[in-house]
Amino acid sequence: MDTVGDGLDAALRKAFTRPIPRSAGAQMRYLVRQLKGTRPVAELLGITQRTVERYVKDQIKKPRADLAQRMEREVTVRWQPQIRARAKQTAATTDGIVIDTRARFGYTAAPGTTDDARLRHLTVALPPQYAARLFEAKEAGGTEQQLRNIAAEALGEVYFRDNGRRAQGLEVEFTDVEHLEFDL
């Protein structure tokens, strides 16, 4: 199941102008530069300081699968912070963000209308204020449910209520997410 937080991270990775370092030695050297030493890198990755030094000197070239995953994840989190910040700023102020999702949408609406949840595939451009709220909640450590609530509110306003032109009072529930992807 895709999550909103992972989708936001993937959208920011698409903004990168260069790929992350591929070799284990290059990734380790990048982490040592970012964290300013081999000891913090060793603590971060759960390996010994000597092992980090051996990767830096290319004495070890092929890490275990779990270590390779941890290294790639940590490099990706720290890679091109200015590009990432600029992409967030642009999405939050001018461009907005596009959400592509296949999920079950339920409704709370006026009596006499249908409120049965239905599976829908939606691709909707969200305005900048919702992109800003999503990024702010993610940075503040918001839970997956809080991020989904913001996404549901955005989809409800833009798609279902058509920015206040129809279906006033309609509340949207965003559940059973099969696919979720963001694009800047």
Side-chain angles (χ1 to χ4, degrees):
M1 178 170 65
D2 297 56
T3 66
V4 177
D6 292 341
L8 291 171
D9 289 340
L12 290 174
R13 281 194 299 271
K14 290 177 189 175
F16 289 165
T17 57
R18 294 179 318 190
I20 66 168
R22 296 296 345 146
S23 73
Q27 288 180 354
M28 197 63 78
R29 285 187 289 277
Y30 177 77
L31 287 173
V32 168
R33 274 193 312 273
Q34 291 297 306
L35 298 176
K36 299 179 181 19
T38 56
R39 180 170 288 151
V41 174
E43 291 171 1
L44 176 73
L45 297 174
I47 56 178
T48 65
Q49 185 175 355
R50 179 68 185 127
T51 303
V52 171
E53 293 167 357
R54 291 173 65 200
Y55 275 109
V56 167
K57 293 178 182 177
D58 281 329
Q59 292 174 346
I60 304 176
K61 295 185 186 275
K62 184 90 171 112
R64 300 181 319 266
D66 62 324
L67 178 59
Q69 274 184 325
R70 288 194 312 261
M71 284 171 41
E72 185 171 346
R73 184 184 65 239
E74 295 301 332
V75 168
T76 302
V77 165
R78 290 164 177 77
W79 189 248
Q80 293 190 331
Q82 292 174 336
I83 301 289
R84 188 185 306 258
R86 193 176 317 128
K88 281 183 193 177
Q89 182 67 25
T90 302
T93 57
T94 57
D95 291 351
I97 193 166
V98 176
I99 183 172
D100 178 47
T101 185
R102 180 169 167 79
R104 188 166 306 280
F105 290 93
Y107 316 98
T108 304
T113 60
T114 181
D115 61 353
D116 292 336
R118 291 185 285 188
L119 195 62
R120 292 179 184 243
H121 181 244
L122 301 176
T123 302
V124 179
L126 302 179
Q129 65 264 24
Y130 289 111
R133 286 183 57 201
L134 282 167
F135 285 126
E136 287 169 5
K138 173 105 172 65
E139 288 175 8
T143 65
E144 178 63 22
Q145 190 57 47
Q146 291 170 326
L147 294 171
R148 280 190 187 196
N149 289 342
I150 294 169
E153 181 183 334
L155 288 169
E157 181 63 31
V158 173
Y159 182 79
F160 294 104
R161 290 190 294 273
D162 195 18
N163 293 319
R165 289 191 278 275
R166 61 186 164 105
Q168 278 71 19
L170 181 74
E171 293 299 321
V172 177
E173 296 173 11
F174 185 41
T175 58
D176 298 337
V177 177
E178 290 181 5
H179 166 76
L180 180 70
E181 187 176 322
F182 290 96
D183 198 13
L184 301 176

